[in-house]
Amino acid sequence: MGIEKELLEIAQRIRALSQTGLVYSDNEYNTERYEELVHLSNSMTALITNNKVSTIEGCFRVEDDYVTPKVDIRAVVFNDKDEILLVQERADGAWAIPGGWADVGYSPKEIAVKEVKEETGLNVKPIRLLAVLDKKCHNHPPAPHYAYKIFILCELIDGEFTSAFDILDKGFFKQDELPPLSEERILKSQINLMFEYKNNPDKDAIVD
């Protein structure tokens, strides 16, 4: 896992540099070289993640500006029983804190509220930023995208659980009774960190 993760980070860096090179390339020879580097990066990522090259290519749009990390927003919601809200992802059948990729036109707090509503039916109010984590600094499985994860504490207001097309189930869980986690999205160490904030409201936000 360690070597795969390092190789994937190299492939991500090659892709970012080559796509940025395509944006600023001023002649066809450099353009061809950068396009080949993009293809090599996609091929390398496909081998590491056991996917087809076409699948990896489909994960990325052609950039027309400087390449930056993707942003993953997660809404941290506790109930009055000191349990944390989790959702069961249809993609892998495992559980994660509600959230997903940030949408253009919405602030991070707005994304947190929207994701909870869409995935669970519950209404929440954003309270404060807890953490900004660089995914590469944590033991997630290899994944194509380079991402920052933003965790926002939210207060439960009201609402009832409803169905969502990409969510199989949802519920509140105690820290020592967590279901199998979708480690591409969340790690047990990160959930433990969220409970630290629950138990110590004055704890400062952290940034990798």
Side-chain angles (χ1 to χ4, degrees):
M1 178 72 73
I3 293 177
E4 289 180 344
K5 188 174 182 180
E6 289 182 19
L7 289 173
L8 189 60
E9 289 174 5
I10 292 171
Q12 290 170 337
R13 184 64 177 152
I14 292 171
R15 182 185 300 108
L17 289 171
S18 55
Q19 288 195 335
T20 300
L22 285 171
V23 172
Y24 297 105
S25 176
D26 58 0
N27 66 74
E28 61 183 283
Y29 300 106
N30 283 336
T31 296
E32 288 179 1
R33 294 186 184 99
Y34 288 130
E35 287 175 343
E36 183 176 359
L37 283 172
V38 170
H39 178 73
L40 290 172
S41 173
N42 289 338
S43 298
M44 187 175 178
T45 302
L47 287 171
I48 296 167
T49 60
N50 196 29
N51 282 294
K52 296 180 179 179
V53 174
S54 59
T55 300
I56 300 302
E57 290 174 343
C59 291
F60 300 95
R61 66 180 177 86
V62 177
E63 299 288 347
D64 56 6
D65 200 351
Y66 195 89
V67 180
T68 61
K70 290 180 72 68
V71 180
D72 178 23
I73 307 290
R74 296 287 155 176
V76 180
V77 183
F78 293 98
N79 63 12
D80 57 8
K81 299 178 181 178
D82 291 336
E83 297 171 326
I84 193 168
L85 178 63
L86 300 178
V87 296
Q88 187 179 23
E89 300 282 349
R90 183 177 297 277
D92 59 8
W95 295 72
I97 291 175
W101 297 127
D103 295 318
V104 173
Y106 292 85
S107 72
K109 284 184 176 181
E110 289 172 334
I111 291 291
V113 171
K114 184 168 76 76
E115 288 289 334
V116 173
K117 183 66 174 179
E118 291 176 352
E119 294 186 357
T120 72
L122 300 180
N123 299 307
V124 299
K125 178 175 71 174
I127 303 300
R128 74 178 185 104
L129 173 70
L130 299 181
V132 180
L133 304 181
D134 185 331
K135 198 172 179 181
K136 77 166 185 181
C137 298
H138 302 266
N139 196 30
H140 293 276
H145 295 101
Y146 194 101
Y148 292 162
K149 301 178 69 64
I150 297 178
F151 293 83
I152 296 175
L153 179 65
C154 295
E155 178 185 340
L156 178 61
I157 303 301
D158 57 24
E160 297 181 354
F161 284 149
T162 58
S163 61
F165 77 93
D166 55 347
I167 299 299
L168 296 175
D169 202 357
K170 67 280 296 178
F172 286 91
F173 296 87
K174 294 186 179 300
Q175 186 175 8
D176 59 356
E177 297 178 356
L178 298 176
L181 298 178
S182 177
E183 293 192 339
E184 179 181 341
R185 297 167 178 83
I186 195 70
L187 300 175
K188 189 174 188 298
S189 60
Q190 293 164 347
I191 290 183
N192 288 340
L193 176 62
M194 300 305 114
F195 273 96
E196 287 183 30
Y197 284 106
K198 168 68 175 174
N199 298 327
N200 182 11
D202 295 328
K203 180 179 174 67
D204 291 337
I206 61 173
V207 179
D208 279 335

